[in-house]
Amino acid sequence: MVDIDLAKFFDRVNHQRLLAKLSEKIRDPRVLELIGRTLKARVVMPDGTKVVTDEGTPQGGPLSPLLSNVVLNELDWELERRGLRFVRYADDCNIFVGSPRAGDRVMSSISSFLEKRLRLQVNTDKSAVRQPHDVHFLGFRFSRHQEKGWLVYLSHKATDRIKANLKEMTPRTWGQSVDACLKELNTYIEGWGAYFRICDHEAIRSWRGLDAHVRRRVRAIAIRQQKRPRFLFRHLVRNGASEGTAAKTAWSSRGVWHKSARFGVHKAYGLAWFIGRLNSLEGQWLKHHRPAASGSQMSFAF
């Protein structure tokens, strides 16, 4: 795979060339003038300094990705003209070739096309000819299965990012109700699951560990909010734990994280308690693949 990344793409779009390309389709000069004024609008820096832009598209608005695709549309046509298979999202592009030698040839010719024709610069530090399993693209990576061929997995960077986000969303010093924490988690997990639903079933087995870790962090929040051992004891008993297991957990000399794995807490906040309250990563994947998922697979949703 020829993995191409453009260096500071949004900051280096040539205004004159972009407006010339837009004028081929847009006949109203007022629209072109408005886009030109938007491109050249001064940028206000955090310290209040105003900077005039001679190139690049303003980021943060809906116009920026649209104009960027107009620029790179010519790249798409060039790749199709050469009969190459590729996928592109904004300034990230992967081209599929049959050998490393062909990859080197394509990398050289496409880099030359981008720099001379589109006046864009390839980021040589991030661009390279790689094996498919070494490429991380938009949060995904590929792995070859002996029987099933190439499968789509979650990239290591995406895995680290979701772990960090879930940890940030479930601090032990959470100052609101547990329900408020669950509401935020559900929104994040639902959106995350919708995006990564194209991963194959073999790839989501590691998600069960993430789901279990999130549940434990929620249990730790519930424990911390009780503040005193006697309050925790009463709380666990009210939620279904026996007095014996609740007492062993509440008056344990270990910390909150250790208590969150004790039997008394698991009785009060078992898997059944989380069903209907907290989305699971694996459950979100199964929601998009119910026709193909077996009954045994569905049992792992929570």
Side-chain angles (χ1 to χ4, degrees):
M1 293 177 65
V2 181
D3 188 11
I4 296 179
D5 182 82
L6 298 177
K8 298 182 179 180
F9 168 68
F10 291 96
D11 297 330
R12 291 180 173 171
V13 173
N14 184 274
H15 290 176
Q16 185 176 358
R17 200 175 192 288
L18 173 58
L19 291 173
K21 183 62 64 175
L22 290 172
S23 64
E24 296 177 3
K25 297 291 185 179
I26 300 175
R27 302 303 180 189
D28 191 336
R30 296 173 299 175
V31 176
L32 293 173
E33 181 184 359
L34 181 60
I35 295 175
R37 292 174 63 182
T38 302
L39 291 173
K40 297 182 182 298
R42 289 181 293 179
V43 178
V44 181
M45 305 302 289
D47 60 356
T49 306
K50 296 182 180 180
V51 180
V52 179
T53 58
D54 296 324
E55 59 180 3
T57 58
Q59 299 185 52
L63 186 62
S64 178
L66 176 61
L67 295 178
S68 301
N69 273 329
V70 171
V71 174
L72 292 176
N73 183 54
E74 194 168 348
L75 171 64
D76 298 341
W77 284 111
E78 178 65 17
L79 294 174
E80 287 193 4
R81 186 186 66 81
R82 299 186 184 192
L84 296 171
R85 296 183 178 183
F86 68 96
V87 58
R88 181 182 66 80
Y89 184 87
D91 58 333
D92 292 325
C93 181
N94 286 168
I95 306 171
F96 307 95
V97 294
S99 67
R101 185 176 180 179
D104 292 335
R105 185 173 62 252
V106 170
M107 173 67 81
S108 176
S109 61
I110 292 301
S111 296
S112 177
F113 173 83
L114 288 168
E115 293 173 0
K116 294 180 180 179
R117 183 71 176 272
L118 302 186
R119 302 180 187 178
L120 298 172
Q121 185 176 346
V122 175
N123 189 336
T124 55
D125 294 334
K126 295 183 179 180
S127 302
V129 179
R130 300 184 174 96
Q131 292 294 328
H133 52 75
D134 293 328
V135 175
H136 291 188
F137 185 67
L138 302 178
F140 299 96
R141 64 183 176 89
F142 306 96
S143 180
R144 189 172 183 82
H145 192 277
Q146 187 174 3
E147 298 177 356
K148 300 182 180 180
W150 287 102
L151 301 178
V152 181
Y153 279 73
L154 190 67
S155 75
H156 299 305
K157 292 181 180 179
T159 301
D160 293 339
R161 185 166 60 250
I162 186 176
K163 287 180 179 178
N165 289 340
L166 291 173
K167 182 177 181 179
E168 184 178 348
M169 296 172 68
T170 53
R172 296 181 202 174
T173 55
W174 180 261
Q176 304 177 48
S177 66
V178 174
D179 289 339
C181 179
L182 295 177
K183 184 178 180 180
E184 288 192 11
L185 285 171
N186 284 335
T187 301
Y188 177 75
I189 292 174
E190 185 175 0
W192 189 93
Y195 180 80
F196 289 102
R197 67 183 183 273
I198 66 172
C199 289
D200 291 288
H201 185 261
E202 286 75 7
I204 69 167
R205 292 176 181 174
S206 61
W207 298 7
R208 299 170 189 171
L210 287 173
D211 287 331
H213 186 68
V214 172
R215 290 193 294 267
R216 185 174 180 182
R217 294 190 66 86
V218 172
R219 293 183 183 113
I221 291 175
I223 294 172
R224 185 65 177 265
Q225 289 188 341
Q226 299 309 311
K227 299 186 182 301
R228 297 180 181 277
R230 66 175 183 271
F231 297 157
L232 177 59
F233 169 77
R234 296 169 188 168
H235 180 77
L236 294 178
V237 171
R238 283 198 302 270
N239 282 274
S242 64
E243 292 187 357
T245 57
K248 290 180 181 179
T249 301
W251 278 281
S252 171
S253 59
R254 306 294 291 272
V256 172
W257 187 244
H258 176 79
K259 291 179 180 179
S260 65
R262 294 293 294 262
F263 186 68
V265 175
H266 276 269
K267 288 295 291 183
Y269 291 94
L271 292 178
W273 186 89
F274 286 96
I275 295 177
R277 290 187 173 94
L278 177 64
N279 291 332
S280 71
L281 299 173
E282 187 181 17
Q284 291 299 305
W285 186 92
L286 291 170
K287 184 176 71 173
H288 296 285
H289 299 81
R290 288 188 187 277
S294 65
S296 60
Q297 292 169 343
M298 294 297 290
S299 63
F300 290 102
F302 295 94

